[in-house]
Amino acid sequence: MTKERTGIGSRGQSERPPRVFVVSGPSGAGKTTLCAEVIRDLPWLEASVSHTTRAPRPGEENGRQYHFVDRGTFEEMIRVGQFLEWAEVHGHLYGSSWKSLEGRSGGRDLLFEVDCIGAKQIQKKIEGAVLIFIMTPSLEDLVRRIQRRGAVSGAELAMRLQTARREIRQVAEFDFLVINDRFTDAVDALRSILISERCRLDLRAGHWIEKWAREFDRLSELPS
Ligand code: 5GP
């Protein structure tokens, strides 16, 4: 195995498949803010950019937060099998394309922020995907956070809570749970999970054993 395939070191990692991290949890739990914060200081990690049929919010740019497409385009992408996963969330379609696994720069690992249906699809399709569930300590906190983000109607709040109830039932199928109470603690927890999973001894072990053995061989060739 070449160095490029080891996954350790910051350069030349483009030949190995990325490690896939999936962050999910109810709307309002703080996934987006947490992910943005941890990604800022992990240069080996990048956020996958999803496709969506929802309209851009003020300040959002096409290709940055999302690829904004119309429903016809999205449905055609489903038809031709371009999505690794997709789901309908609160009346809009969201999906991560297979392309997002290939298009990453510098062989970085990938962080997907998706709803729970999407997370389960990724778990089935990508061996070794690490699933992280984010939730507030209480439902009361969740409601407060949803309302803090802007005016939501009673009907919309009820819909979000109904979805949250379904999502919470799936927490046991995730690998990690981060309770977003104090923001800095949640950032530390998420960052620690990402870093320790990156250091997990996996298929790369063989490469390193061979490499160090070669180095020992070379060392023994040196005149003493
Ligand atoms: P928002 O519209 O607030 O950015 O996202 C709404 C919900 O859609 C969030 O729960 C978010 O995690 C989810 N979401 C965003 N991108 C994707 C995606 O590519 N696939 C799936 N399944 N859900 C997504």
Side-chain angles (χ1 to χ4, degrees):
M1 209 193 293
T2 63
K3 182 170 183 192
E4 281 71 19
R5 290 183 180 275
T6 64
I8 294 183
S10 59
R11 276 188 286 166
Q13 296 187 17
S14 54
E15 284 182 43
R16 67 159 178 80
R19 282 181 199 77
V20 167
F21 299 100
V22 183
V23 167
S24 196
S27 161
K31 299 175 300 240
T32 309
T33 324
L34 272 172
C35 288
E37 185 66 20
V38 293
I39 259 180
R40 271 199 312 147
D41 42 61
L42 298 178
W44 47 268
L45 187 66
E46 75 181 40
S48 164
V49 180
S50 302
H51 286 71
T52 184
T53 58
R54 83 149 163 77
R57 296 186 184 126
E60 286 185 333
E61 279 171 47
N62 191 27
R64 210 173 151 81
Q65 288 80 10
Y66 286 103
H67 300 290
F68 296 98
V69 293
D70 59 41
R71 207 168 176 100
T73 306
F74 198 104
E75 284 170 352
E76 180 59 13
M77 288 179 74
I78 298 174
R79 203 184 62 76
V80 297
Q82 286 191 22
F83 285 117
L84 159 63
E85 64 74 33
W86 66 272
E88 182 146 10
V89 186
H90 305 140
H92 301 292
L93 297 171
Y94 293 83
S96 319
S97 68
W98 283 104
K99 239 185 175 164
S100 61
L101 284 172
E102 297 154 16
R104 69 223 157 85
S105 49
R108 289 182 184 149
D109 291 330
L110 275 176
L111 182 67
F112 291 83
E113 192 212 308
V114 299
D115 84 317
C116 286
I117 295 169
K120 296 294 299 169
Q121 291 178 55
I122 297 178
Q123 191 177 44
K124 277 201 202 112
K125 292 184 187 167
I126 309 280
E127 201 189 336
V130 177
L131 267 63
I132 306 157
F133 195 92
I134 314 275
M135 179 52 189
T136 51
S138 71
L139 216 53
E140 205 183 328
D141 288 312
L142 191 70
V143 171
R144 203 175 315 123
R145 279 174 201 239
I146 292 172
Q147 287 173 332
R148 210 194 295 150
R149 288 203 300 203
V152 279
S153 66
E156 189 165 334
L157 181 62
M159 180 174 72
R160 278 170 198 256
L161 291 179
Q162 205 179 342
T163 311
R165 183 175 216 158
R166 178 172 46 75
E167 292 183 312
I168 286 163
R169 287 201 197 108
Q170 297 179 34
V171 69
E173 292 165 51
F174 280 65
D175 301 300
F176 294 95
L177 170 65
V178 173
I179 298 293
N180 188 7
D181 188 0
R182 218 169 67 118
F183 181 69
T184 50
D185 291 345
V187 169
D188 284 348
L190 181 56
R191 189 193 292 118
S192 306
I193 293 164
L194 298 169
I195 293 173
S196 41
E197 282 299 311
R198 180 174 152 84
C199 295
R200 185 181 284 279
L201 200 53
D202 51 21
L203 296 173
R204 296 167 300 146
H207 160 80
W208 286 99
I209 293 166
E210 281 169 30
K211 176 180 178 290
W212 292 324
R214 279 196 306 275
E215 286 173 359
F216 268 111
D217 288 347
R218 275 203 299 276
L219 203 65
S220 59
E221 285 162 16
L222 290 176
S224 49

